[in-house]
Structures are given as structure tokens and as C-alpha cells.
Amino acid sequence: MSQYLAPRVRLVGVFELSFKLVARSGLLIRSGRAKEIMGAADIEPLSIAKAYAVNTGTYILKVPYIPGSSLKGRARSLLELALNLDLGTTDGKIYYHSRVIRNDIAHDDPYCPVDNVFGSMSIQPSYFQPSEEGSSPYSWFFEKCWAPSRAIFRDIYPSQRYVENLCHLKGDCNNVYFEDFLEEKNENRIDRVTSAADPRTILRVKADVEFEGSIAFLVYDMDICRRAECDMHSKLKEHIRDYPARYYLTNLIGSLILVEETYIGGSGTRGYGNVEFRDLGLKFQNLAKGDVGLRELYKASRLTDVESFINKTNVFDELRDLVCK
């Protein structure tokens, strides 16, 4: 009886990138609920009830937020375009880059930063097991080069600092309402034939609202100790000067820089969604060493500074000495 193949992967470290995200223009991650309310705006932002501890009290406020999926999807799509990756579809409607399409490996480079940082469709183990017909041509990939997504994006909420300042301006947190985070924007579509107007009212997050959030980044043993099978089948290996983990993490930061240079959310080509990352912090937990909790590595005011730090830090050497034996 042949041996059942399984991925060989060990989690050896975790980075955490924390940040403030400031809206430089009106921002809209739309809710779709506004039209259900008579007299309400046609479109309003996503909202959530969130607890904030201010002074000696805890207040439940309705606030706008940016889903982690929105930032992840935007960053991923921009990186796909920047790297000129092949796009595919499973339904004939939505095209995107994915390693796996319909249980078949469509893009087999084991070092693809989009697949490895942001993830791809799940791989069904049964498709890569030896059978009477012989071994799968991608058994090497499944056993030696596969690992779960590295990046974990979390939802992003108005910052504690911004809410505290807003409570101070309003006299009390009980006087803070959802509308205090928003601005009303009136728009008009004009029929090119009849010149008829189609006005609509949009509520969007106003400029200068400050959000805060974080992204976790997982490091696996194969991201530090390069495997011959992965190098053998990769065209991207020439872009990796030492550790795949460094390559993946710099690509993650690069994708966020692209978000900052373009937009996030709806109507970005019409002035919406311009954002800026500020007050960045990078922390690390060395699981291979047995670290308890994250330790601070670096603080920066710009993403480009974080990118430069990642390109020169020796934290990957620290992992190599413990893991690559």
C-alpha cells in the first residue's frame, strides 16, 4: 500500500503590522441598507456597533468600518496587475489570479507572492495522491511547497484617539452619532440624449477620519529553509535574494503602497477612497524559539520605511539558525 501524501509545514514565526489609516478624501465601503429607509440617502457606508472605553465609561457607538476583506481584495488585485499574473475564472463572470481552478493547478510557481501571501482556493488532497495510474504530476507541490495563506487581514475601525477627540468636541460620548463620521455628497447623472437628470444622495466617510487596524503575517519553515523541489519548479526564484519570507512580506507591503497610491472602496476614479497609512509598527514572535507574545521590531511613519527595514532586518537569520538544521 502506497504512503498517503500530506503537506510538510511548520509555523515558526508571526509578524504583526499595526497602522493608522486616514481617509484623505471621502471614503465609501457601501452598505446597501439605506434605500430600505424612507427619506434616507440612496447609499451609505457599512456600519457596526462597537464599544469604546473613554475616560471612566464604556460607550457603544455606531461607527463606519473597513472590512478586512475590502483591504485584502484591493491589495491583492493591485499586486496581481503589478506582477502581470495570469487571470482565470470559475464562473465566466469574475476574473482573478488563483493557483487552483476547478481542482486543477493553473499556476504552479511555488513562490508566487499573490498565492502565498493572500491565499488561493483549497487543494483537495485526494487529487494529488498516488493511484493505479501512477503519481500525480503535482505531488511534489502538495507535499513540499504548499502552506496556508500567510496574511491575515482584520477589520479596521475608527481609532481610539479619533473617537476620544470626537467625544471631547461633542461634550460627551453620548452625543456622538454615526452622522458625525460622515458627509453628504449629492451626485447627478445626466442622460446624454434627453438631458434628464437622475440625482442621488450618498453618505460617505468624511475626509480626515482616522481608522486603526493590523495585519498578521505567518512564517512557515519552508519560507526560511528553501526546499530544492520548490526552487526547481520556480521561475520567480531569481527575485528571492535569500528567504522567501522576506520576499513575501515585502510584496505585502508593496501591495499596501499600491492601495495608498490608488484608492480603496467604491468610486475611486471619481475622487473617493484616497487613504494614507500612518503610525506603523512591526512586531514579531519567534515561535521556533518559544517566544511568548510579540516583540517590537520597528516603528515608522511611512510604508516605504517599513519596506526598507524588512529588506535589511536580520530577524530571518535568527529563524534560520533555529529552524534550518
Side-chain angles (χ1 to χ4, degrees), residues 124-138:
Q124 298 300 321
S126 59
Y127 285 91
F128 302 95
Q129 301 304 319
S131 65
E132 293 180 357
E133 287 76 25
S135 299
S136 164
Y138 288 112

Side-chain angles (χ1 to χ4, degrees), residues 153-171:
F153 286 73
R154 300 188 176 96
D155 291 345
I156 306 167
Y157 305 102
S159 70
Q160 179 73 25
R161 177 173 64 191
Y162 186 87
V163 170
E164 288 178 355
N165 289 338
L166 191 56
C167 290
H168 177 73
L169 288 173
K170 300 284 289 187

Side-chain angles (χ1 to χ4, degrees), residues 106-124:
H107 183 74
D108 63 0
D109 197 302
Y111 292 135
C112 177
V114 168
D115 292 314
N116 290 333
V117 172
F118 296 94
S120 62
M121 294 181 65
S122 61
I123 294 177
Q124 298 300 321

